[in-house]
Short mmCIF file of all heavy atoms in Angstrom, two decimals:
data_model
loop_
_atom_site.label_atom_id
_atom_site.label_comp_id
_atom_site.label_asym_id
_atom_site.label_seq_id
_atom_site.Cartn_x
_atom_site.Cartn_y
_atom_site.Cartn_z
N VAL A 23 -15.13 6.19 -0.57
CA VAL A 23 -14.64 6.56 0.77
C VAL A 23 -15.40 7.77 1.31
O VAL A 23 -15.85 7.78 2.46
CB VAL A 23 -13.11 6.83 0.75
CG1 VAL A 23 -12.62 7.18 2.15
CG2 VAL A 23 -12.36 5.61 0.21
N SER A 109 -7.23 9.99 2.46
CA SER A 109 -6.94 8.57 2.20
C SER A 109 -6.13 8.46 0.91
O SER A 109 -5.92 7.37 0.41
CB SER A 109 -8.26 7.81 2.03
OG SER A 109 -9.03 8.42 0.99
N LYS A 111 -3.40 8.01 -1.10
CA LYS A 111 -2.01 7.52 -1.02
C LYS A 111 -1.15 8.02 -2.16
O LYS A 111 0.05 8.24 -2.01
CB LYS A 111 -1.97 5.99 -0.94
CG LYS A 111 -2.73 5.26 -2.04
CD LYS A 111 -4.04 4.70 -1.56
CE LYS A 111 -4.95 4.47 -2.74
NZ LYS A 111 -5.98 3.50 -2.54
N ALA A 136 -5.54 6.72 6.74
CA ALA A 136 -6.27 5.83 5.82
C ALA A 136 -5.50 5.54 4.54
O ALA A 136 -5.91 4.68 3.76
CB ALA A 136 -7.61 6.46 5.45
N SER A 137 -4.38 6.23 4.33
CA SER A 137 -3.69 6.05 3.05
C SER A 137 -2.96 4.70 2.97
O SER A 137 -2.64 4.24 1.88
CB SER A 137 -2.70 7.19 2.80
OG SER A 137 -1.67 7.17 3.78
N VAL A 138 -2.69 4.10 4.10
CA VAL A 138 -2.05 2.77 4.12
C VAL A 138 -2.89 1.84 4.98
O VAL A 138 -3.22 2.18 6.13
CB VAL A 138 -0.63 2.83 4.72
CG1 VAL A 138 0.03 1.46 4.69
CG2 VAL A 138 0.22 3.86 3.99
N GLY A 139 -3.26 0.70 4.42
CA GLY A 139 -3.95 -0.31 5.22
C GLY A 139 -5.42 -0.01 5.51
O GLY A 139 -6.01 -0.66 6.38
N GLY A 140 -6.03 0.92 4.78
CA GLY A 140 -7.47 1.19 4.96
C GLY A 140 -7.81 1.41 6.43
O GLY A 140 -7.34 2.36 7.05
N ILE A 163 1.28 -6.95 3.08
CA ILE A 163 0.30 -7.13 2.01
C ILE A 163 -0.50 -5.85 2.05
O ILE A 163 -1.28 -5.62 2.99
CB ILE A 163 -0.57 -8.37 2.28
CG1 ILE A 163 0.31 -9.61 2.23
CG2 ILE A 163 -1.72 -8.44 1.27
CD1 ILE A 163 -0.37 -10.87 2.71
N LEU A 164 -0.29 -4.98 1.07
CA LEU A 164 -0.76 -3.60 1.17
C LEU A 164 -1.86 -3.28 0.18
O LEU A 164 -2.35 -2.16 0.15
CB LEU A 164 0.42 -2.64 0.94
CG LEU A 164 1.56 -2.77 1.96
CD1 LEU A 164 2.78 -1.99 1.50
CD2 LEU A 164 1.10 -2.29 3.32
N ASN A 165 -2.21 -4.25 -0.65
CA ASN A 165 -3.24 -3.99 -1.66
C ASN A 165 -4.31 -5.06 -1.59
O ASN A 165 -4.05 -6.25 -1.80
CB ASN A 165 -2.60 -3.95 -3.05
CG ASN A 165 -3.63 -3.66 -4.13
OD1 ASN A 165 -4.22 -4.56 -4.71
ND2 ASN A 165 -3.89 -2.38 -4.37
N GLY A 166 -5.54 -4.62 -1.26
CA GLY A 166 -6.65 -5.55 -1.08
C GLY A 166 -7.06 -6.24 -2.36
O GLY A 166 -7.37 -7.43 -2.37
N THR A 167 -7.04 -5.49 -3.47
CA THR A 167 -7.49 -6.05 -4.74
C THR A 167 -6.62 -7.23 -5.17
O THR A 167 -7.12 -8.30 -5.53
CB THR A 167 -7.45 -4.95 -5.83
OG1 THR A 167 -8.29 -3.89 -5.40
CG2 THR A 167 -7.91 -5.46 -7.17
N THR A 168 -5.31 -7.04 -5.15
CA THR A 168 -4.42 -8.13 -5.59
C THR A 168 -4.45 -9.29 -4.61
O THR A 168 -4.34 -10.45 -5.02
CB THR A 168 -2.98 -7.62 -5.77
OG1 THR A 168 -2.64 -6.82 -4.64
CG2 THR A 168 -2.83 -6.82 -7.03
N ASN A 169 -4.60 -8.97 -3.32
CA ASN A 169 -4.67 -10.08 -2.35
C ASN A 169 -5.95 -10.88 -2.55
O ASN A 169 -5.95 -12.11 -2.47
CB ASN A 169 -4.59 -9.54 -0.92
CG ASN A 169 -4.11 -10.61 0.03
OD1 ASN A 169 -3.23 -11.40 -0.30
ND2 ASN A 169 -4.71 -10.68 1.20
N PHE A 170 -7.02 -10.18 -2.90
CA PHE A 170 -8.30 -10.82 -3.20
C PHE A 170 -8.14 -11.72 -4.43
O PHE A 170 -8.55 -12.89 -4.43
CB PHE A 170 -9.35 -9.73 -3.45
CG PHE A 170 -10.73 -10.23 -3.70
CD1 PHE A 170 -11.59 -10.51 -2.64
CD2 PHE A 170 -11.20 -10.43 -5.00
CE1 PHE A 170 -12.88 -10.97 -2.88
CE2 PHE A 170 -12.48 -10.89 -5.24
CZ PHE A 170 -13.33 -11.16 -4.17
N ALA A 189 -13.55 -8.03 -7.53
CA ALA A 189 -12.94 -7.03 -6.64
C ALA A 189 -13.44 -5.63 -6.99
O ALA A 189 -13.70 -4.81 -6.10
CB ALA A 189 -11.42 -7.09 -6.74
N GLY A 193 -15.84 -2.83 -4.77
CA GLY A 193 -15.36 -1.48 -4.44
C GLY A 193 -13.95 -1.44 -3.89
O GLY A 193 -13.54 -0.45 -3.28
N PHE A 194 -13.15 -2.50 -4.10
CA PHE A 194 -11.77 -2.50 -3.60
C PHE A 194 -10.80 -1.86 -4.58
O PHE A 194 -9.80 -1.27 -4.18
CB PHE A 194 -11.25 -3.94 -3.34
CG PHE A 194 -12.13 -4.79 -2.50
CD1 PHE A 194 -12.21 -6.16 -2.70
CD2 PHE A 194 -12.87 -4.24 -1.47
CE1 PHE A 194 -13.01 -6.96 -1.92
CE2 PHE A 194 -13.68 -5.04 -0.68
CZ PHE A 194 -13.75 -6.40 -0.91
N ALA A 195 -11.10 -2.05 -5.87
CA ALA A 195 -10.10 -1.69 -6.89
C ALA A 195 -10.05 -0.18 -7.12
O ALA A 195 -11.03 0.54 -6.87
CB ALA A 195 -10.44 -2.41 -8.19
N GLU A 196 -8.90 0.29 -7.59
CA GLU A 196 -8.74 1.69 -7.98
C GLU A 196 -9.58 1.96 -9.23
O GLU A 196 -9.94 1.03 -9.95
CB GLU A 196 -7.27 1.97 -8.30
CG GLU A 196 -6.34 1.80 -7.13
CD GLU A 196 -6.69 2.72 -5.98
OE1 GLU A 196 -6.64 3.94 -6.16
OE2 GLU A 196 -7.03 2.22 -4.90
N ARG A 197 -9.80 3.27 -9.50
CA ARG A 197 -10.54 3.63 -10.72
C ARG A 197 -9.89 2.98 -11.94
O ARG A 197 -10.54 2.46 -12.81
CB ARG A 197 -10.56 5.15 -10.89
CG ARG A 197 -11.82 5.77 -10.32
CD ARG A 197 -11.83 7.25 -10.53
NE ARG A 197 -10.84 7.89 -9.67
CZ ARG A 197 -10.65 9.19 -9.60
NH1 ARG A 197 -11.37 10.00 -10.33
NH2 ARG A 197 -9.75 9.70 -8.80
N ASN A 198 -8.58 3.03 -11.97
CA ASN A 198 -7.83 2.30 -13.00
C ASN A 198 -7.14 1.13 -12.31
O ASN A 198 -6.12 1.31 -11.65
CB ASN A 198 -6.80 3.23 -13.65
CG ASN A 198 -5.92 2.47 -14.62
OD1 ASN A 198 -6.14 1.28 -14.85
ND2 ASN A 198 -4.94 3.14 -15.17
N PRO A 199 -7.70 -0.09 -12.46
CA PRO A 199 -7.17 -1.21 -11.66
C PRO A 199 -5.75 -1.61 -12.02
O PRO A 199 -5.14 -2.43 -11.33
CB PRO A 199 -8.16 -2.34 -11.94
CG PRO A 199 -8.82 -1.99 -13.21
CD PRO A 199 -8.81 -0.49 -13.32
N ALA A 201 -3.34 0.20 -11.50
CA ALA A 201 -2.58 0.64 -10.33
C ALA A 201 -2.53 -0.45 -9.26
O ALA A 201 -1.56 -0.55 -8.51
CB ALA A 201 -3.20 1.91 -9.74
N ASP A 202 -3.56 -1.27 -9.20
CA ASP A 202 -3.57 -2.39 -8.25
C ASP A 202 -2.71 -3.53 -8.78
O ASP A 202 -1.75 -3.94 -8.15
CB ASP A 202 -5.00 -2.91 -8.04
CG ASP A 202 -5.91 -1.89 -7.39
OD1 ASP A 202 -5.61 -1.46 -6.27
OD2 ASP A 202 -6.94 -1.53 -8.00
N VAL A 203 -3.08 -4.04 -9.97
CA VAL A 203 -2.49 -5.31 -10.43
C VAL A 203 -1.03 -5.15 -10.87
O VAL A 203 -0.28 -6.11 -10.89
CB VAL A 203 -3.34 -5.99 -11.54
CG1 VAL A 203 -4.70 -6.34 -11.01
CG2 VAL A 203 -3.43 -5.14 -12.79
N ASP A 207 -0.13 0.81 -6.51
CA ASP A 207 -0.83 1.19 -5.27
C ASP A 207 -0.03 0.70 -4.05
O ASP A 207 0.20 1.46 -3.10
CB ASP A 207 -2.24 0.58 -5.29
CG ASP A 207 -3.01 0.89 -4.02
OD1 ASP A 207 -3.42 2.05 -3.85
OD2 ASP A 207 -3.18 -0.02 -3.18
N ALA A 208 0.43 -0.56 -4.10
CA ALA A 208 1.24 -1.09 -2.99
C ALA A 208 2.54 -0.31 -2.87
O ALA A 208 3.03 -0.06 -1.75
CB ALA A 208 1.51 -2.57 -3.21
N LYS A 211 2.09 2.83 -0.98
CA LYS A 211 1.90 2.58 0.45
C LYS A 211 3.22 2.23 1.14
O LYS A 211 3.48 2.71 2.24
CB LYS A 211 0.85 1.48 0.63
CG LYS A 211 -0.54 1.97 0.21
CD LYS A 211 -1.51 0.81 0.09
CE LYS A 211 -2.92 1.28 -0.29
NZ LYS A 211 -3.79 0.18 -0.70
N GLU A 287 -9.57 -9.39 0.75
CA GLU A 287 -9.17 -7.98 0.67
C GLU A 287 -8.43 -7.52 1.93
O GLU A 287 -8.10 -6.33 2.07
CB GLU A 287 -10.39 -7.08 0.42
CG GLU A 287 -11.25 -6.78 1.65
CD GLU A 287 -12.32 -7.82 1.92
OE1 GLU A 287 -12.12 -8.99 1.55
OE2 GLU A 287 -13.36 -7.46 2.52
N PHE A 288 -8.16 -8.46 2.83
CA PHE A 288 -7.46 -8.09 4.06
C PHE A 288 -6.02 -7.71 3.76
O PHE A 288 -5.41 -8.21 2.82
CB PHE A 288 -7.51 -9.24 5.07
CG PHE A 288 -8.85 -9.36 5.73
CD1 PHE A 288 -9.91 -10.00 5.10
CD2 PHE A 288 -9.06 -8.79 6.98
CE1 PHE A 288 -11.16 -10.08 5.69
CE2 PHE A 288 -10.32 -8.87 7.58
CZ PHE A 288 -11.36 -9.52 6.94
N ASN A 289 -5.51 -6.79 4.56
CA ASN A 289 -4.10 -6.41 4.49
C ASN A 289 -3.43 -6.85 5.77
O ASN A 289 -4.08 -7.01 6.81
CB ASN A 289 -3.96 -4.87 4.42
CG ASN A 289 -4.27 -4.27 3.05
OD1 ASN A 289 -3.99 -3.11 2.83
ND2 ASN A 289 -4.84 -5.04 2.13
N LYS A 306 -9.08 -4.93 7.39
CA LYS A 306 -9.54 -4.65 6.04
C LYS A 306 -8.80 -3.45 5.47
O LYS A 306 -8.89 -2.34 6.00
CB LYS A 306 -11.05 -4.41 6.04
CG LYS A 306 -11.80 -5.72 6.21
CD LYS A 306 -13.26 -5.61 5.92
CE LYS A 306 -13.85 -7.02 5.97
NZ LYS A 306 -15.31 -7.02 6.03
N GLY A 307 -8.09 -3.70 4.37
CA GLY A 307 -7.25 -2.66 3.79
C GLY A 307 -7.93 -1.89 2.69
O GLY A 307 -7.34 -0.99 2.10
N ALA A 308 -9.17 -2.22 2.39
CA ALA A 308 -9.88 -1.53 1.31
C ALA A 308 -11.37 -1.60 1.61
O ALA A 308 -11.80 -2.34 2.50
CB ALA A 308 -9.57 -2.20 -0.03
N GLY A 309 -12.12 -0.80 0.86
CA GLY A 309 -13.57 -0.80 1.06
C GLY A 309 -14.02 0.48 1.74
O GLY A 309 -13.24 1.14 2.42
N THR A 313 -12.08 2.14 5.33
CA THR A 313 -11.22 3.28 5.00
C THR A 313 -11.81 4.57 5.59
O THR A 313 -11.09 5.41 6.14
CB THR A 313 -11.06 3.40 3.46
OG1 THR A 313 -10.71 2.11 2.97
CG2 THR A 313 -9.98 4.40 3.09
N1 HSE B 506 -7.31 -0.32 -4.47
C1 HSE B 506 -6.85 -0.33 -3.12
C2 HSE B 506 -6.72 -1.78 -2.67
C3 HSE B 506 -7.83 0.40 -2.25
O1 HSE B 506 -7.21 -2.66 -3.37
O2 HSE B 506 -6.10 -2.03 -1.64
C4 HSE B 506 -7.31 0.70 -0.89
O3 HSE B 506 -6.19 1.52 -0.91
#
Side-chain angles (χ1 to χ4, degrees):
V23 181
S109 56
K111 53 256 159 157
S137 65
V138 182
I163 295 170
L164 299 169
N165 181 269
T167 301
T168 46
N169 203 39
F170 183 86
F194 308 147
E196 297 300 298
R197 265 181 289 183
N198 174 4
D202 295 300
V203 298
D207 178 73
K211 292 167 178 168
E287 80 273 28
F288 284 81
N289 283 191
K306 286 193 174 166
T313 311

